[in-house]
């Protein structure tokens, strides 16, 4: 490829949001190979021929250049932060005599009508302020006066080129202080409608309004056990754990994504969900299925063959096929009875309400039946439909029980995954939204020298915009309906994603840019409407643009002890910022005891993920880091006290750290080398509630959090 052809290819890539280069962890510039750009451009626009892109990208670049004076302004969606309308730039040939912007408050069900949360607002610090833009007064949670007919615009000429003029339209903001919500916009120039689009009016900052210092505990739901012989956690178990944390003074119970996965295909990762619209049926308490006449007193499908123990390695891990098969049989029988008795027609069962809240449920159930090996497609459809109805009923109880009172459960803290399964419902129902033959991953770094392929497909930024971001918005609503604190996994994905066309080495991916401001506006608006708070997972190398935007808009950052470890305790804890959630680890990090004993490094070496020289170097670096730490500084209760006294808004503790667990829940990048997402807790909920060491650690954390909050 000649220099001019390569330059044209990179220029064409930029017009489609592709970065021709990026800066790696060492500050070096990495250029995206032409083969990657060609495949990405073809995925973004199938009209582009890969053969032509290789020999004559100038042809396509000229076509795009010839349309640069199109009258359609970009983007298709504008953001009105705090209700202030933005300026609009566009090219125009000829003279503009008058411009009017018409706005109509959207009444579409997928926009404002369904945006209000069905759950109550608790004392979590995100209550509406006195600003009338933040209040919702009509039956849909909105103010009726938000329909605005016409807004005059002033004109400013920016430049003239080739007989075309670049104008800046400046709406009269005094005549339109917008309440928060989604608006249909129409732009009329010289009396003729020229463009239709969308305006999102969103709060500029969604940070909590109070100064309380909160804390909570983390537990993967599959690992929770109500009783010593429980095989897997259930939604009521999460509620019980939340109540226990509340009794210790805590505010949050955190867990991994609770979305459905393909258990019947052997997929168990919570980060590869079938859909981001529905809940996982394996966590249903089958002894509490709604409107089932044959409820057992206990849940016989959820009894393990033996309790987990250090001595019995196999008993420590979940037998997903066995549990899912047993639960499915029980739920299927209940579904048959429910529909045969026509109880789905009775409003008292709340089934009609369920369908109103989840209009995609019938389509989802049919999809699951079509891809299932079960030959009885009707029975399979009934199973998935009833299972989602049961999830709706049980998660609703869990959500409504959460609040600020001592006798209520702690608020739910959920993780929103960055992607979905490539063969799942979302990719099937919205095929245009996902790039074909393109996966998402991460470039080479210290953790994975050859890069990472996460196995799910990237969203198409332009298609997402064409559909007014409904998919992104509605999947957020699924979370915000029931969780008061939501962590956006890989928050950098709102800004850019590292994309890997199929057949391209993981080291040769390309960054695809997303409409960052619009995505942030939707997050801020939806979080505000539901009284929720947002954490952005910003671990690792994150562009300054992303972190600056997080601070500006009130998304909380993450502070993880091993990643911030300095040579002294004082230097370490001084790095904790106020607008953050602080924790000893995450689900992708080894437990605390394993880290300070360097057991994690040995495990990486055993898994074949670290060479012997790398292990030796890592051991020396770890020992150097901890050399000045005295034994009392590394005592778990002392570290929790320090985190409790820190300025961090939230502190989370991993339940397993409280009893000295050393095995992680997940080792990123491993497959057969480690049994990811399968390990049950050594202690049941009943056990740890009676454990003196657990009680002491939680008491110390609670006491120091309240002491910090009173300062």
């Amino acid at each position: 490829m000649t220099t001019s052809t390569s330059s044209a290819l990179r220029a064409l890539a930029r017009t489609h949001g592709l970065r021709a280069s990026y800066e790696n962890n060492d500050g070096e510039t990495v250029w995206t190979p032409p083969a990657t750009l060609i495949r990405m451009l073809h995925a973004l626009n199938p009209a582009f021929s890969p053969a032509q892109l290789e020999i004559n990208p100038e042809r396509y670049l000229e076509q795009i250049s010839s349309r640069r004076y199109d009258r359609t302004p970009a983007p298709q969606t504008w953001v009105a932060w705090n209700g202030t309308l933005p300026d609009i730039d566009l090219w125009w040939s000829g003279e503009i005599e008058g411009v009017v912007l018409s706005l109509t408050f959207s009444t579409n069900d997928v926009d404002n009508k369904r945006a209000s949360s069905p759950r109550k607002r608790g004392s979590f610090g995100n209550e509406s302020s006195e600003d009338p833009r933040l209040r919702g007064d009509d039956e849909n949670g909105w103010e009726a006066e938000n329909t605005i007919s016409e807004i005059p615009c002033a004109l400013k000429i920016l430049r003239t080129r080739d007989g075309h003029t670049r104008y800046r339209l400046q709406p009269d903001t005094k005549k339109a202080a917008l309440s928060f919500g989604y608006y249909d916009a129409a732009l009329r120039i010289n009396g003729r409608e020229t463009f239709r689009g969308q305006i999102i009016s969103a709060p500029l900052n969604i940070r909590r309004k109070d100064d309380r210092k909160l804390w909570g505990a983390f537990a993967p739901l599959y690992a929770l056990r109500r009783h010593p012989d429980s095989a897997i956690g259930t939604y009521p178990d999460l509620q019980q754990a939340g109540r226990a944390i509340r009794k210790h003074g805590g505010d949050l119970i955190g867990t991994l994504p609770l979305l459905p996965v393909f258990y019947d295909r052997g997929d168990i990762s919570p980060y590869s969900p079938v859909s981001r619209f529905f809940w996982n049926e394996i966590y249903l308490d089958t002894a509490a299925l709604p409107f089932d006449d044959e409820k057992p007193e206990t849940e016989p499908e959820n009894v393990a063959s033996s309790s987990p123990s250090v001595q019995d390695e196999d008993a420590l891990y979940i037998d997903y096929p066995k549990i899912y098969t047993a639960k499915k049989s029980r739920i299927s029988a209940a579904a048959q009875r429910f529909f045969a008795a026509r109880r789905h027609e009775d409003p008292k069962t709340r089934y009609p309400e369920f369908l109103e809240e989840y209009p995609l449920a019938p389509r989802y159930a049919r999809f699951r039946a079509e891809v299932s090996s079960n030959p009885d497609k009707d029975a399979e459809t009934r199973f998935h439909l009833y299972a989602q109805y049961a999830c709706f009923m049980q998660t609703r109880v869990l959500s409504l029980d959460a609040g600020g009172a001592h006798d209520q459960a702690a608020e739910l803290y959920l993780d929103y995954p960055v992607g979905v399964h490539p063969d799942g419902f979302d990719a099937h129902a919205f095929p245009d939204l996902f790039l074909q033959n393109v996966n998402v991953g991460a470039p080479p770094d210290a953790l994975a020298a050859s890069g990472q392929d996460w196995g799910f497909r990237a969203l198409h930024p332009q298609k997402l915009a064409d559909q007014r971001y409904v998919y992104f918005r509605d999947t957020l609503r699924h979370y915000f309906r029931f969780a008061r604190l939501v962590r956006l996994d890989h928050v950098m994905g709102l800004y850019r994603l590292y994309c890997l066309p199929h057949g391209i080495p993981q080291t040769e991916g390309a960054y695809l840019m997303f409409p960052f401001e619009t995505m942030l506006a939707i997050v801020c608006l939806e979080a505000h409407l539901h009284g929720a708070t947002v954490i952005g997972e910003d671990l690792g190398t994150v562009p300054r643009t992303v972190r600056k935007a997080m601070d500006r808009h009130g998304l909380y950052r993450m502070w993880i002890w091993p990643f911030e470890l300095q040579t002294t305790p004082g230097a370490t804890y001084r790095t904790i910022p106020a607008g953050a959630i602080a924790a000893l680890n995450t689900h992708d990090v080894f437990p605390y005891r394993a880290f300070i004993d360097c057991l994690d490094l040995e495990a990486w070496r055993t898994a074949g993920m670290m060479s012997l020289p790398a292990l030796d170097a890592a051991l020396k670096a770890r020992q150097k880091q901890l050399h000045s730490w005295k034994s009392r500084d590394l005592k778990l209760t002392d570290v929790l006290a320090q985190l409790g006294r820190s300025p961090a808004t939230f502190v989370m503790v991993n339940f397993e750290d409280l009893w000295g667990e050393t095995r992680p829940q997940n080792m990123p990048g491993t497959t057969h080398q480690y049994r990811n997402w399968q390990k049950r807790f050594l202690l049941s909920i009943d056990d740890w509630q009676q454990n003196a060491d657990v009680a002491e650690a939680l008491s110390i954390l609670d006491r120091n959090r309240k002491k910090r909050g009173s300062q």
Side-chain angles (χ1 to χ4, degrees), residues 231-529:
I232 196 169
T234 65
Y235 294 116
D237 292 346
L238 192 60
Q239 180 182 7
Q240 184 179 350
R243 281 178 170 266
I245 286 299
R246 179 69 78 193
K247 289 179 181 178
H248 284 281
D251 309 277
L252 302 163
I253 182 71
T255 193
L256 298 177
L258 301 176
L259 304 171
V261 299
F262 279 129
Y263 291 115
D264 47 0
R265 297 187 181 187
D267 295 328
I268 62 174
S269 171
Y271 290 91
S272 184
V274 177
S275 174
R276 286 190 286 205
F277 287 106
F278 299 99
W279 300 117
N280 194 322
E281 64 272 19
I282 205 170
Y283 299 130
L284 285 170
D285 182 349
T286 57
L289 295 175
F291 296 92
D292 181 25
D293 295 330
E294 298 185 16
K295 291 181 181 178
E297 292 184 4
T298 60
E299 193 182 14
E301 299 82 16
N302 194 12
V303 177
S305 56
S306 59
S307 299
S309 67
V310 177
Q311 292 76 24
D312 189 351
E313 183 77 11
D314 287 336
L316 190 64
Y317 296 96
I318 296 170
D319 187 343
Y320 280 106
K322 178 181 177 181
I323 296 172
Y324 188 71
T325 299
K327 286 204 171 195
K328 183 176 181 180
S329 177
R330 173 77 181 84
I331 297 168
S332 295
Q336 171 63 30
R337 291 189 290 270
F338 181 83
F339 289 109
R342 308 189 72 82
R343 287 188 165 175
H344 59 289
E345 299 174 358
D346 184 356
K348 294 180 181 178
T349 65
R350 307 191 89 151
Y351 186 83
E353 180 183 344
F354 155 68
L355 289 181
E356 183 179 356
E357 289 289 338
Y358 294 90
L360 289 173
R363 188 177 174 188
Y364 168 79
R366 288 193 297 271
F367 165 80
R368 293 299 302 267
E370 289 168 4
V371 299
S372 170
S373 59
N374 185 355
D376 190 342
K377 301 303 181 185
D378 290 340
E380 189 74 10
T381 300
R382 286 194 301 269
F383 159 70
H384 283 288
L385 196 52
Y386 179 80
Q388 286 305 314
Y389 161 62
C391 287
F392 164 75
M393 297 292 281
Q394 292 191 11
T395 57
R396 187 180 182 89
V397 171
L398 170 66
S399 173
L400 293 176
D401 186 47
H406 182 72
D407 61 347
Q408 289 182 298
E411 294 284 4
L412 188 59
Y413 168 27
L414 272 184
D415 210 1
Y416 178 91
V418 67
V420 292
H421 196 289
D423 299 324
F425 171 74
D426 292 10
H428 169 82
F430 310 100
D432 292 345
L433 288 180
F434 294 88
L435 289 173
Q436 300 298 315
N437 302 316
V438 175
N439 284 4
V440 175
D445 57 19
L447 180 63
S450 59
Q452 299 178 57
D453 184 340
W454 295 339
F456 55 80
R457 284 155 53 188
L459 284 167
H460 194 308
Q462 186 57 52
K463 300 296 184 183
L464 198 62
D466 291 343
Q467 298 184 24
R468 293 195 173 191
Y469 305 93
V470 168
Y471 173 79
F472 178 59
R473 186 167 61 219
D474 284 359
T475 56
L476 284 176
R477 286 178 182 173
H478 177 58
Y479 264 61
F480 288 141
R481 282 190 184 103
F482 298 103
R484 297 303 297 276
L485 190 64
V486 171
R487 189 191 87 140
L488 299 181
D489 184 36
H490 196 64
V491 70
M492 190 170 65
L494 302 179
Y495 175 67
R496 70 182 188 186
L497 284 175
Y498 186 74
C499 294
L500 295 163
H502 291 183
I504 291 292
Q506 294 171 183
T507 56
E508 298 181 2
Y511 273 110
L512 176 63
M513 308 304 294
F514 281 76
F516 191 35
E517 184 182 41
T518 303
M519 304 284 274
L520 280 171
I522 293 170
V523 169
C524 290
L525 176 57
E526 295 299 330
H528 164 73
L529 293 177

Side-chain angles (χ1 to χ4, degrees), residues 102-107 112 138 142-151 175-179 182-184:
S102 298
L103 296 181
T104 304
F105 197 70
S106 178
T107 57
N112 297 316
D138 74 352
W142 300 96
E143 295 179 342
E145 64 268 21
N146 282 314
T147 298
I148 300 171
S149 56
E150 295 185 346
I151 302 169
K175 294 184 180 296
L178 302 181
S179 293
Y182 300 93
Y183 292 81
D184 296 322

Side-chain angles (χ1 to χ4, degrees), residues 219 302 359 380 398 556 587 596 622 633 646:
N302 194 12
E380 189 74 10
L398 170 66
Y556 290 86
H587 59 273
I596 62 174
R622 181 77 54 82
D633 296 330
S646 76

Side-chain angles (χ1 to χ4, degrees), residues 215-217 559 561 573 576 582-585 592 629 632-646 651-659 693-706 708:
W215 70 271
W559 186 96
W561 191 83
Y573 299 123
I576 302 178
L584 291 175
N585 41 54
Y592 176 73
W629 287 67
R632 69 170 182 269
D633 296 330
L634 293 173
K635 188 179 179 182
L636 177 66
T637 50
D638 187 79
V639 176
L640 290 178
Q642 293 287 354
L643 294 183
R645 290 195 293 269
S646 76
V651 172
M652 292 296 291
V653 60
N654 184 342
F655 271 112
E656 292 187 294
D657 283 331
L658 301 178
W659 51 79
D693 291 338
V694 171
E696 180 191 11
L698 295 180
S699 176
I700 289 172
L701 177 57
D702 181 62
R703 190 163 58 248
N704 282 278
R705 282 273 81 188
K706 288 180 170 53
R708 175 73 194 198

